[in-house]
Amino acid sequence: MTQRIAVAGSSGLIGGALCRSLRERGDDVIRLVRRPPEHMSEIQWDPSTRQLDPALLDGVDAVVNVAGASLGAHRWSPAFKVELISSRTDGTTALATAIAATGRPIHLVNGSAVGYYGDRGEEILTEESSAGSGFLVDLVHAWEGATEPAEAAGAPVARLRTGIVLAPDGDAIKALLRLTKLGLGGPLGNGRHYWSWITLADHVRAIQHVLDQRLEGPVNLTGPEPARQRDIVAEMGRQLHRPTLLPAPRLALRLVVGEMAGDIVASQRAVPKRLQDSGFTHEQATLPDAIRWLLAAPA
């Protein structure tokens, strides 16, 4: 069934791909933009005000919010930490409050992250697992908490706990691919930590599944087989015919990226239980298939 869907964060990696895919399948997509609108399919907003006119959501069936400053855009100074949080919570608050004010059950599909679980080693993490501790955990708590006005008003709310998105234009993956192609790839830290990966193609399909099924609550947007970081880069090297032997010690990472180094080597073995239980099937379900897709995808 065709839906009218508003998308916040539509100029980003995930939001842009989602808008294209939704339109291709026939949905009516409304992009929330900060600049003056250039098309009838755009609505201007200023998320920093934490307000949105509810009338702008007339006829909208669902809102997808994947807006937020990139975690790797800068070193995590106190000021940038504030920006990381506000860039997520301000817009989410505006959307959730506007949805509540409409009095209609508009489906809010809101961004989140597997960072919710913190550094958990070998533990397999589902949506029922408890939260961890640390800055990213605090960020995700605030991000998810900002959806409360919509939930309290009875609107269905899904929180997309996203893993590492494998995309050639993704900040972290682009850098890792570049190093691997030069023969300089290798483990980060000891490389034993789990990365919960998902391809951009499956990520977009998973969001559409959440929309179509009107799923609520936390949903892990990850692939079915989390892998150790060293195995991910090794598979890149195998398919690129490059060595992946050069490690990046934790101390060196901290010197380069600062506090974020701790989260780069954090282990989150999150699995997509709710997605799979609701009938979703990944097209890139194994690591070799995912890396093959990544290397073939246009940058």
Side-chain angles (χ1 to χ4, degrees), residues 184-193 229-230 233 244-249 253:
L184 301 175
L188 302 178
N190 63 21
R192 289 182 54 81
H193 50 287
Q229 185 273 330
R230 67 186 183 189
V233 75
T244 53
L245 302 175
L246 295 176
L253 281 174

Side-chain angles (χ1 to χ4, degrees), residues 188-204:
L188 302 178
N190 63 21
R192 289 182 54 81
H193 50 287
Y194 278 93
W195 276 5
S196 298
W197 56 266
I198 186 170
T199 65
L200 178 61
D202 271 343
H203 194 284
V204 168

Side-chain angles (χ1 to χ4, degrees), residues 5-294:
I5 301 169
V7 179
S10 60
S11 63
L13 175 72
I14 294 170
L18 176 65
C19 287
R20 289 190 294 273
S21 184
L22 288 172
R23 283 181 174 138
E24 286 172 0
R25 74 175 197 168
D27 288 312
D28 183 9
V29 178
I30 305 298
R31 299 176 64 224
L32 298 177
V33 298
R34 299 182 184 222
R35 54 170 172 73
E38 297 175 353
H39 306 283
M40 293 292 291
S41 61
E42 295 180 344
I43 293 174
Q44 186 175 19
W45 76 322
D46 181 359
S48 66
T49 66
R50 301 171 73 91
Q51 295 180 342
L52 180 71
D53 182 356
L56 295 176
L57 299 180
D58 284 351
V60 168
D61 300 300
V63 174
V64 179
N65 177 28
V66 287
S70 172
L71 293 172
H74 303 285
R75 290 174 72 93
W76 287 2
S77 65
F80 187 55
K81 283 184 175 182
V82 171
E83 181 182 343
L84 288 173
I85 295 173
S86 62
S87 69
R88 288 162 171 78
T89 57
D90 288 352
T92 302
T93 297
L95 292 167
T97 303
I99 288 171
T102 67
R104 296 192 297 113
I106 297 173
H107 190 193
L108 175 58
V109 177
N110 205 71
S112 184
V114 295
Y116 172 90
Y117 303 110
D119 187 356
R120 303 291 278 271
E122 305 283 321
E123 182 182 355
I124 295 175
L125 304 166
T126 72
E127 291 85 354
E128 296 178 357
S129 299
S130 62
S133 61
F135 168 68
L136 278 187
V137 177
D138 294 341
L139 181 153
V140 174
H141 263 298
W143 197 3
E144 293 191 355
T147 65
E148 194 275 336
E151 201 163 27
V157 175
R159 298 182 287 277
L160 308 177
R161 291 181 182 164
T162 297
I164 292 175
V165 178
L166 299 180
D169 284 336
D171 291 341
I173 298 304
K174 182 190 293 185
L176 195 57
L177 275 174
R178 186 184 305 119
L179 289 172
T180 304
K181 288 176 180 178
L182 292 172
L184 301 175
L188 302 178
N190 63 21
R192 289 182 54 81
H193 50 287
Y194 278 93
W195 276 5
S196 298
W197 56 266
I198 186 170
T199 65
L200 178 61
D202 271 343
H203 194 284
V204 168
R205 291 180 57 251
I207 294 176
Q208 291 174 339
H209 179 82
V210 169
L211 286 165
D212 295 344
Q213 300 296 317
R214 289 183 72 84
L215 296 184
E216 302 180 44
V219 183
N220 288 346
L221 258 62
T222 65
E225 298 181 3
R228 298 187 193 278
Q229 185 273 330
R230 67 186 183 189
D231 294 333
I232 292 175
V233 75
E235 183 61 28
M236 287 183 181
R238 188 187 71 79
Q239 295 195 27
L240 288 166
H241 307 291
R242 295 289 188 275
T244 53
L245 302 175
L246 295 176
R250 183 186 288 254
L251 178 58
L253 281 174
R254 190 165 186 89
L255 289 173
V256 173
V257 301
E259 183 182 342
M260 189 173 67
D263 290 282
I264 290 175
V265 298
S267 184
Q268 286 139 5
R269 194 178 180 183
V271 295
K273 184 176 186 300
R274 292 206 62 215
L275 272 181
Q276 293 181 313
D277 287 351
S278 61
F280 182 78
T281 302
H282 294 74
E283 290 187 348
Q284 294 86 39
T286 68
L287 182 59
D289 283 346
I291 299 303
R292 195 171 298 111
W293 177 89
L294 174 66

